[in-house]
Every structure is written in structure tokens, then in C-alpha cells.
Amino acid sequence: RGEAGAVRGAGGARRPGGAERRQRGRAMGAEAGGPRDTAPGQQLRALFYALPPGESSFRTVEEVPDYVDKSIPFFITFIGLEFAVSWIQKRKLPGRINDGISSLSLGILSRLPDVLFRSIELISYIYIWNNYRLFELPWDSPWTWYLTLLGVDFAYYCFHRMSHEVNILWAAHQVHHSSEDYNLFTALRQSVLQKYTSWMFNLPMALFIPPSVFAVHLQFNLLYQFWIHTEVITKLGPLEWILNTPSHHRVHHGRNPYCIDKNYGGTLIIWDRIFGTFEAEDAKVVYGLTHPVNSFDPIMLQLRPLARIWNTFWATPGFCNKLSVIFKGPGWGPGKPRLGLPEEIPEITGKEVPFDPHVPAYLNCYALVHFAVIVDLYTELLASMTMLSQGTVLLRIGFIILSLASFGLLLENKSKAGILEIIRCLVFIGVYKLGYFRSQFSFLGYAYEV
């Protein structure tokens, strides 16, 4: 059923034979039915939205590569490069261990639902395409490719702006803004819940753009936003007029009053220039939320805003006011404008100190080593999940979540973090000896047990 739906969704009533596919697709050398492999050079260019239509057009959704997961080695490489360049430029590192582990933990959490379920963005899109499409644009036309680029980016602008202006959407999106550092780790700091609120903004395209084309650009738009989360790149000249750049996005992540609710673009900055939400980088940007959460616990960072909305909802009198708590801006209150009062935004003094509890150096090293183990288990899970039972997958996901929460508490130096960590290590030993966990590197098995 899924295969038939994908083929219909790509504009074909029947599945063509191998020879016909090779004749029709410029980029369709691989047999349909599974994602195509991408060369390292192609994967690198995908990070910068630099794969032309001839290399990134596919007949069916099944053929679309998983560009995001295959970019993990490049993420690591660029993070290392950022550290080296920052040290050369400023003689200081671009981030901290505690904040970096927190950002990576949130990135892993955000991807875990995709291990169990197909992306809701694709499921909903394919459903609309199969049942309600008005006409079909050709999947192999460059015009369709470029139109989809504009469509996906405009949909992202609309969603991104709404995520800052609607409290319930902000509760999910604020996770990405919660870091007080600004580096490539921050790009991976994503919300588990955001994808369950963003999918509807793409649905109008499903009336005429094939799902296979949409699936490519959905990934490209996300990947492009990785490299703009850095301070080591200053200005990019004329490109600043068209593209979203590190300078523009630094403004978006600032909590300075002039930065609030500005520069929502994903790949292009033209939408902000058109709709009046553009702001150029000026005074030194101070990053993070206007009211910092002061936590490295990825579970707490995901759920605390929802708890705050819940408590405010019940504490606010009047049914209309209760609805306003959910659907108006995060700064709204009874008697205030929809987005709150600008004068209530805390002023920046330049003396702000990021949340950085003192933790012994050995504990930072401990958390770093054990986090590397979890990254290994996570990537091995992605590589082997089709061969694992559902119970084993759930067990691994549960242990990953437990581990990330434990690391967050350790880095905050919480009093009960040690107890939770001992329990976590005992669980690991048990399930590892029983064969439910497996490293990608067999020679590390004994080291993991130690």
C-alpha cells in the first residue's frame, strides 16, 4: 500500500520497468524501491542547497536519499572546523561542553520519533496529493524544482513567524532558541514537538507538487540552516540581500530588543524584506531567551514551556483570555497587545552571564565520554533499525532518552544525578550483556562494559 501510494504520489499510475526508469530519469540511475546512495561530494553540496535539479530529482519518495542522516559526518567535521577557526581567530572556543552536549541531546531526541514513525510531514502531504491534488507538475522539470524551493521556503517563513507569535507554537520552537551560545551545535538543537505543528503549512503545495520533489526540498531547507549557526563567518557581501546568512541568523537568535521577532527566513531572506521583519546585525548580539531557562536537561527543556502554558491557562480568568493564553504571543497578558509590550523586553546591559554551573573537570570528561557512547548507539540504531524487533528498538530508544536526561542533570550538578547515573550504568550492563545493544565498532565492546 505504501509503495503504491508513493508511486501514485509521484505522478504515475503504474510502476515502470527498470529500462523505462533509466530512460526517463536524469537522476534515476538506481532501481526504485529504496533511497539512492549519494556520493560524498553530493552530500556536501546538499548542505548548501547546491545540488541542481539534475542530481536531486526523483520519481518516487522511496528513491529520495535521507540527506539529513547521511550528513552526520559532515556535521561533525564542520563543528571541528568551527572550533579550529574560532581558536585561530579569537583564541577561544565557540562553545562549552555542557551547552554543546545539551544541544546535541536535543538534536538526537528530535530525530527519535522518525525511527518509529514515518514523518508526519510526508504522510500528510502524500495523503493530500493522492486524494485532493488539482493537477500534476512534472517531477523531472527544473521549473518544478525551483518552484518547490520557493514554496518550501515561503511555507517555512510563515510557520517560523507563527512559531514566534503564537504561544503554543512557541512552546515547541523555543527549544531551538534556549542556548546562550551560538555555534554549529545550536543548529542541531531541535524540538521533538515542532514537526507536529509545522506540517500543515506545506499542504497547499500538495495540490500540485509531487511528494518526491517536496521530500528533497524539505531536507535541503533544513540542511541549509546548519551552517548559518556560527560566529566565525561575518558578512557575505551581495549575498546578504538574497540569502539567509550567519549575520542575519545571529540577529534572529538574539535577545536584544532590536533582535526580537526578526529574520524568520530559512534559505532566503527575501521574505523578511518583503514583509517587514528584516533587521540587519548591529549591536553585539546576546543569545538565548529573554527569560533564560537555566537548564541542560533535554526533557525539561522540551516540557517546561508546556507546563507554564498549562498553569497560566488555569490561572487566567475568562474563557476568551484562556484562549488568548494559547493562541496569542508569548508576551501577551490581559489588557496587552497580541504580541505583548515591547518595553517589557529586558534590556541588554552587556554584563549577562550564561548559565554555567561549576562542575569538576573529571565530571565533564565523564559526561563527554559517555555521550560519545550514546551517539555510537544512536547511529548504530539508525543503521540497523530495519533488522531489529520493535521491542528492541523501543528498548534502545528508552535507554537513549534515560541517558540524555541523566547527562543533563550531571552537567547541572544536581544532587540526585549520581543515583540516576548509577542506575543507568547498571541498566546498560544488563542489556548490553544480553545482546540488545551493539556498538558499530566491535573492538569497543569490552571497553563499553568497563
Side-chain angles (χ1 to χ4, degrees):
R1 180 181 178 184
E3 180 182 72
V7 172
R8 288 197 303 274
R14 64 180 180 86
R15 191 177 191 83
E20 185 179 348
R21 279 197 300 278
R22 285 189 290 273
Q23 292 172 357
R24 291 198 51 191
R26 290 193 303 271
M28 300 304 102
E31 293 291 324
R36 288 188 64 210
D37 290 331
T38 54
Q42 289 180 312
Q43 192 63 50
L44 177 61
R45 285 184 285 130
L47 279 172
F48 300 94
Y49 225 127
L51 276 181
E55 295 182 70
S56 55
S57 296
F58 304 93
R59 180 180 177 84
T60 68
V61 172
E62 278 78 5
E63 294 172 14
V64 176
D66 191 336
Y67 291 105
V68 175
D69 281 340
K70 290 181 179 180
S71 294
I72 291 175
F74 290 100
F75 293 160
I76 297 170
T77 301
F78 278 107
I79 287 171
L81 185 61
E82 181 188 35
F83 270 70
V85 172
S86 180
W87 182 258
I88 294 170
Q89 287 179 342
K90 307 174 184 178
R91 284 295 184 268
K92 73 172 188 177
L93 299 178
R96 298 164 291 152
I97 290 176
N98 47 24
D99 189 82
I101 289 179
S102 177
S103 292
L104 292 175
S105 297
L106 288 162
I108 290 173
L109 276 180
S110 72
R111 300 289 294 174
L112 287 179
D114 295 336
V115 175
L116 294 174
F117 313 107
R118 195 174 186 182
S119 167
I120 187 173
E121 294 163 310
L122 278 178
I123 290 174
S124 57
Y125 193 98
I126 291 173
Y127 177 81
I128 296 298
W129 170 264
N130 285 339
N131 294 282
Y132 300 105
R133 67 179 179 266
L134 301 177
F135 56 91
E136 303 176 9
L137 293 179
W139 62 269
D140 54 354
S141 167
W143 291 106
T144 304
W145 195 94
Y146 288 111
L147 177 63
T148 310
L149 184 159
L150 292 173
V152 168
D153 200 58
F154 179 64
Y156 178 82
Y157 171 86
C158 295
F159 159 71
H160 197 184
R161 184 169 179 175
M162 292 290 284
S163 293
H164 283 252
E165 297 183 358
V166 176
N167 202 16
I168 191 66
L169 300 183
W170 172 248
H173 183 63
Q174 60 81 36
V175 171
H176 182 59
H177 286 263
S178 58
S179 174
E180 294 177 275
D181 294 340
Y182 189 76
N183 49 43
L184 295 178
F185 285 127
T186 310
L188 305 177
R189 193 182 189 95
Q190 299 293 331
S191 167
V192 172
L193 301 174
Q194 182 169 295
K195 67 184 71 179
Y196 300 105
T197 59
S198 63
W199 57 273
M200 62 190 73
F201 290 83
N202 295 309
L203 295 185
M205 289 181 287
L207 298 175
F208 53 92
I209 292 176
S212 60
V213 186
F214 168 74
V216 168
H217 288 275
L218 187 66
Q219 295 185 78
F220 284 180
N221 192 273
L222 176 64
L223 288 173
Y224 178 89
Q225 296 178 57
F226 170 74
W227 72 274
I228 62 177
H229 289 81
T230 185
E231 291 188 296
V232 302
I233 299 174
T234 53
K235 298 278 188 176
L236 294 179
L239 294 178
E240 303 277 337
W241 285 94
I242 301 171
L243 298 177
N244 193 12
T245 65
S247 176
H248 297 331
H249 206 59
R250 283 193 290 269
V251 171
H252 179 71
H253 273 259
R255 67 191 207 215
N256 313 54
Y258 86 91
C259 297
I260 302 299
D261 295 340
K262 300 296 182 182
N263 299 359
Y264 295 112
T267 301
L268 305 172
I269 203 66
I270 58 174
W271 315 117
D272 290 284
R273 295 185 183 278
I274 291 171
F275 297 109
T277 54
F278 174 75
E279 189 70 43
E281 188 176 18
D282 186 10
K284 179 175 173 54
V285 178
V286 177
Y287 303 107
L289 303 171
T290 55
H291 299 87
V293 292
N294 293 338
S295 177
F296 298 123
D297 179 357
I299 309 301
M300 183 65 69
L301 287 167
Q302 299 279 357
L303 299 180
R304 183 182 290 173
L306 292 173
R308 186 167 57 247
I309 290 177
W310 176 264
N311 294 332
T312 305
F313 177 87
W314 290 110
T316 302
F319 180 72
C320 290
N321 283 339
K322 289 183 184 296
L323 290 181
S324 295
V325 169
I326 298 174
F327 297 110
K328 289 188 177 180
W332 177 85
K336 297 179 183 179
R338 180 176 69 90
L339 299 180
L341 297 169
E343 55 266 28
E344 291 184 352
I345 299 172
E347 288 292 331
I348 297 301
T349 65
K351 299 179 180 179
E352 288 75 18
V353 178
F355 175 65
D356 195 16
H358 175 71
V359 174
Y362 74 85
L363 198 55
N364 275 326
C365 292
Y366 175 90
L368 193 60
V369 169
H370 279 257
F371 182 78
V373 174
I374 293 303
V375 171
D376 176 29
L377 296 178
Y378 167 69
T379 53
E380 201 278 331
L381 171 63
L382 294 180
S384 62
M385 60 185 179
T386 56
M387 299 178 288
L388 300 173
S389 69
Q390 189 173 27
T392 301
V393 170
L394 290 173
L395 179 63
R396 293 190 183 189
I397 288 175
F399 181 76
I400 289 173
I401 294 173
L402 172 64
S403 299
L404 299 179
S406 181
F407 300 154
L409 295 178
L410 283 173
L411 294 170
E412 292 179 29
N413 215 1
K414 295 288 188 182
S415 57
K416 296 183 179 179
I419 297 174
L420 179 61
E421 180 62 12
I422 290 172
I423 294 172
R424 187 191 75 85
C425 288
L426 292 174
V427 170
F428 176 85
I429 289 292
V431 295
Y432 198 83
K433 294 295 284 185
L434 292 172
Y436 290 104
F437 288 164
R438 186 175 60 195
S439 169
Q440 295 183 93
F441 312 102
S442 57
F443 62 90
L444 288 177
Y446 182 67
Y448 281 2
E449 292 182 33
V450 172

